[in-house]
Amino acid sequence: MTTRKVVPCETTPGLAKACPPTGPVRPPRAGISILEVIACTMIVAVMMVPIAGVMRSSSQAIARAQGDGSIESQGRRSLRWLADQIRMNPHTQVVSGGRALRITTLAGRTALVRISRSQLVMDDGIATTVLAESASAFRATELKSTATGNPVVGLELQLDIRDPATRVTKSAAMTVAF
């Protein structure tokens, strides 16, 4: 190992001063090297793999939870709307062995509520209203009073909806009193 010799320089007579070393001097670094870039990229990639896995699994869990809730809520909303229609039009009959309802309005129009092509629909001859998608079964049961000679006092409605993604069937039920 060789060392440089510091030779005193004289700038003014009588004062000794250290002169800068002579010979080749390295310029200061002006940036980062390609090796540093590659090393940082590898460190970030190794850290991102587990983070991406956690984010993916949590987003799948959220989507599954929202899908389950939306299927059930779709069934409840459909039955709630149907119950409101029945309450407004008390001339309702259960037909087709409980698989359909015939609602007769006060104006005399008749609508049929049934399953058609995996949809719960209300068809009044003029327009078809889709009440629920992916419906697999619909049942209506008359509730009769034994005290007053068996008149119908209400309906019990049940709707089964199949989630297209998971193939799980969810049920919604509602009782409508006249």
Side-chain angles (χ1 to χ4, degrees):
M1 177 168 139
T2 59
T3 58
R4 292 187 185 192
K5 228 197 258 187
V6 177
V7 179
C9 292
E10 291 191 30
T11 54
T12 46
L15 294 175
K17 184 176 173 184
C19 293
T22 58
V25 177
R26 273 183 152 182
R29 285 180 48 178
I32 57 175
S33 70
I34 189 76
L35 291 176
E36 291 170 330
V37 170
I38 292 172
C40 288
T41 304
M42 292 302 292
I43 290 170
V44 169
V46 167
M47 289 173 36
M48 288 303 291
V49 169
I51 292 172
V54 169
M55 290 175 62
R56 185 175 344 137
S57 64
S58 65
S59 67
Q60 288 172 349
I62 289 170
R64 240 181 276 120
Q66 287 176 344
D68 290 346
S70 68
I71 290 294
E72 289 174 343
S73 66
Q74 177 186 1
R76 284 192 301 269
R77 277 193 315 265
S78 299
L79 289 181
R80 193 175 307 122
W81 186 86
L82 186 57
D84 290 342
Q85 295 301 313
I86 292 170
R87 286 185 191 110
M88 290 185 335
N89 305 299
H91 305 291
T92 301
Q93 299 172 335
V94 175
V95 293
S96 299
R99 295 188 326 221
L101 283 177
R102 181 173 291 128
I103 300 174
T104 305
T105 65
L106 296 176
R109 290 182 52 194
T110 301
L112 187 64
V113 178
R114 61 185 166 78
I115 298 274
S116 175
R117 296 187 184 129
S118 297
Q119 296 176 330
L120 180 65
V121 296
M122 181 172 164
D123 186 8
D124 64 358
I126 298 172
T128 301
T129 305
V130 176
L131 303 178
E133 296 284 338
S134 302
S136 59
F138 173 70
R139 288 175 292 288
T141 308
E142 292 180 340
L143 300 175
K144 297 181 179 183
S145 172
T146 56
T148 58
N150 290 340
V152 177
V153 293
L155 293 174
E156 184 175 348
L157 307 174
Q158 184 171 359
L159 176 63
D160 295 339
I161 297 179
R162 176 174 279 188
D163 186 359
T166 62
R167 298 283 194 210
V168 174
T169 301
K170 301 286 184 170
S171 293
M174 182 170 285
T175 302
V176 183
F178 297 136

